[in-house]
Amino acid sequence: MSLAVALSKGKLFRGAGDRFRAAGLPFPDAEGRKLVVEQGELRFLFVKDVDVPTYVEHGIADCGIVGSDVLREADADVYEPLDLGFGRCRLAVARPQGAPAEPRHATLRVATKYPRLAAAHFLGQGRPAEFVKLSGSVELACVLGLADCIVDVVETGATLRENGLRVVETVLECSARLVVNRASYHARRDAVGPLLRALQAACAQEVGA
Ligand code: PRP
């Protein structure tokens, strides 16, 4: 039976392809609308990035590729045996450039796609905050006055810059991770083991290059 790999066609797709090919593993192209693609001994399941942990946790996929930002937010019960070393970015608090200092006792309104991580960050530091959950274009929330600040992923910083925001705190450094279903890790170790070792070797090669 083939090993099922959940991944999204989003920002991590190209890096995942590079790693799989460097590991001598098959990898699908992004063309077409088929959501399940068989390639050799692997069956790729194309899902939305935020759903990768869910498919892996429930064992529909044996393993998956997902950003650690999404993974921490999902808090899924999966193994995370490998940092794939690409898709590096950070989850950060950003505010409008020139905004006055954060008032000490006021409740901040924070817009984010990551309410769990944002709450852990602010409330963990004893800073009163309320959270507005958005699904994308989070920067707009600050620009249009829906929120005082945002917690969002920053990669190049271009989106912040072009919308008049700046990073004020880093919440989490992030990168792409290989995640594995806990049962598959043991029951399917004949297939999971070689996949993991091949990807580890490809990552080590990349680091040494
Ligand atoms: C992500 C993130 C930022 C942007 C950061 O959005 O939410 O908006 O990328 O990248 P940058 O620092 O290189 O500009 P994404 O493109 O995933 O779209 P979304 O806003 O719809 O979530």
Side-chain angles (χ1 to χ4, degrees):
M1 197 172 71
S2 57
L3 209 61
V5 182
L7 77 166
S8 83
K9 285 186 182 175
K11 284 184 172 176
L12 300 181
F13 187 78
R14 183 201 286 238
D18 291 345
R19 283 289 185 277
F20 270 62
R21 283 185 283 271
L25 298 165
F27 197 79
D29 59 38
E31 307 304 315
R33 298 292 299 164
K34 264 179 88 78
L35 299 175
V36 179
V37 175
E38 300 266 356
Q39 295 244 310
E41 294 299 303
L42 300 179
R43 184 157 39 97
F44 292 91
L45 314 180
F46 289 119
V47 302
K48 202 170 154 57
D49 61 350
V50 293
D51 295 332
V52 169
T54 308
Y55 277 90
V56 176
E57 182 174 18
H58 289 266
I60 305 303
D62 298 293
C63 51
I65 294 171
V66 63
S68 52
D69 53 328
V70 170
L71 186 59
R72 297 285 169 271
E73 179 66 23
D75 197 26
D77 185 19
V78 295
Y79 282 129
E80 185 189 332
L82 185 59
D83 182 341
L84 291 160
F86 64 90
R88 291 195 187 282
C89 58
R90 59 180 163 151
L91 193 64
V93 181
R95 304 186 68 208
Q97 284 162 9
E102 190 180 305
R104 273 200 130 207
H105 299 294
T107 299
L108 274 185
R109 184 177 263 231
V110 183
T112 187
K113 289 187 279 189
Y114 303 87
R116 213 182 75 81
L117 294 175
H121 180 75
F122 281 93
L123 305 181
Q125 295 177 355
R127 292 154 76 186
E130 60 183 30
F131 304 92
V132 182
K133 170 83 162 64
L134 294 175
S135 304
S137 303
V138 178
E139 295 80 1
L140 259 186
C142 260
V143 175
L144 301 180
L146 176 63
D148 302 304
C149 63
I150 63 171
V151 169
D152 199 18
V153 163
V154 181
E155 193 180 346
T156 63
T159 311
L160 290 184
R161 264 193 314 279
E162 291 186 24
N163 291 285
L165 307 179
R166 69 182 179 94
V167 169
V168 291
E169 294 158 59
T170 294
V171 176
L172 185 70
E173 299 288 344
C174 308
S175 60
R177 306 293 160 93
L178 178 75
V179 291
V180 181
N181 172 266
R182 288 189 179 278
S184 299
Y185 190 84
H186 301 288
R188 306 220 48 208
R189 61 179 173 273
D190 290 354
V192 172
L195 175 94
L196 179 55
R197 285 191 291 277
L199 286 171
Q200 276 168 334
C203 291
Q205 209 174 30
E206 175 70 21
V207 169

